[in-house]
Each structure stands twice: as structure tokens, then as C-alpha cells.
Amino acid sequence: MDPQPRPAADPSAAARATDLIAAVEDALAAAQDARPTASAPVFRDPAPVTARAVGDALPVVQPGRPPMSQKATDASVVMLAAGAGTLMAGTGAGVALWALAGIDPVTLALAAGAPVAVVAALARLVRRAGQAAAQAAPVTHHHTYTGPVTHTSTSTTTVRGVFARTVTKNGR
């Protein structure tokens, strides 16, 4: 495929572009002239500490992190890690929502609601089975003893799951 011929450039646009380039070059030259040289330190005083220990000079900000206690440093690391984790989780959720933006809302609602409906139905089935087992006739034990007998019965049932409850029955 042959490239299309370009229309003739506007002479005033070329002049404006030339003026812009000249202005940028002048600004860069001025910035280079204002930059400090290597012989003039910006942040640190090369004099020994004893020579500058007493004086009326104002404090100068030093590069790097300011000194902190170990507890403050540990807390800052925890906060930075939590921020990074939140950033990753938020980015993942954003990408997932962006990817789901093109899906039909009804289809999305059915796909997201189906697992919840299945879990709810299974939970109700298990609950009904537990109620039926509890309502079944209890087993009756008949014991015949001769002599003095002390009978103590303790039964503990532990249910394991997301919502668990421990029931203790003391022989009643």
C-alpha cells in the first residue's frame, strides 16, 4: 500500500514550531546554568563535626529517612505492606469488574446467584435432616441393679462448621 501524499504544511505553523523549539532550548540552557556544581555541596557541610558543633546556622534537611524508634519503624513497615496488599486487591477487583462490564446483567446475576442458591438449599437439607433425627424416638435403656448405685451421665456434642454450637447435656 502506497503512503498517501501529505498536504502542504502551513507556513505559520512551521514558524510557531521553530519558535517553540527555540524557547525550549533557551529554558534548558538556563536550567543548566543554574545547576550547582560538584564543588559546592548542597546538603552536607564538609567541615568536621567539632568545627560546626556550635553556631547560629539553621538546621539543614538531610537526605534519607528520618531516624525513628524500632517500634515506629516496625509499624511503618506494617502500614506499607498493608497498603501494598490493599492496592493489589483493589487492582484485582477493578480488573475483574472491567472484564465483567461486557457481560449481560441477567447472565451475570444467574451465574453469581447459582452457587449461593445451591449452598442455601444444601444447608436447609442438612438442617431438616438434623431436625428429623432429633425428633426420632430416643433409645430407652433399662438397667437392673442390686445394691446402692450412683449414676452420672455427661454427653457433649460438638458441631463443626462455620457457625458451630456446643451442647452439653448433664443426664437430663
Side-chain angles (χ1 to χ4, degrees):
M1 177 187 263
D2 293 332
Q4 303 239 346
R6 293 186 177 189
D10 182 17
S12 64
R16 286 193 307 251
T18 304
D19 291 342
L20 178 63
I21 291 171
V24 169
E25 288 175 350
D26 291 342
L28 284 174
Q32 289 292 334
D33 293 341
R35 183 177 292 173
T37 61
S39 62
V42 177
F43 292 105
R44 300 210 180 252
D45 184 5
V49 177
T50 57
R52 57 186 163 98
V54 177
D56 58 355
L58 295 175
V60 178
V61 176
Q62 300 295 315
R65 284 186 155 188
M68 297 186 276
S69 68
Q70 185 63 43
K71 186 176 179 181
T73 303
D74 293 343
S76 125
V77 169
V78 168
M79 286 185 273
L80 289 173
T86 304
L87 177 67
M88 288 186 280
T91 303
V95 168
L97 290 174
W98 176 76
L100 293 174
I103 297 176
D104 180 38
V106 174
T107 306
L108 182 61
L110 289 174
V116 175
V118 169
V119 168
L122 288 175
R124 187 166 179 106
L125 178 67
V126 168
R127 187 180 324 126
R128 288 282 174 103
Q131 288 174 352
Q135 291 174 354
V139 178
T140 304
H141 295 278
H142 294 283
H143 301 280
T144 305
Y145 298 102
T146 57
V149 175
T150 303
H151 181 73
T152 304
S153 174
T154 303
S155 171
T156 303
T157 305
T158 302
V159 180
R160 299 189 188 281
V162 177
F163 300 103
R165 179 178 61 196
T166 301
V167 179
T168 303
K169 298 178 182 175
N170 293 325
R172 294 185 188 121

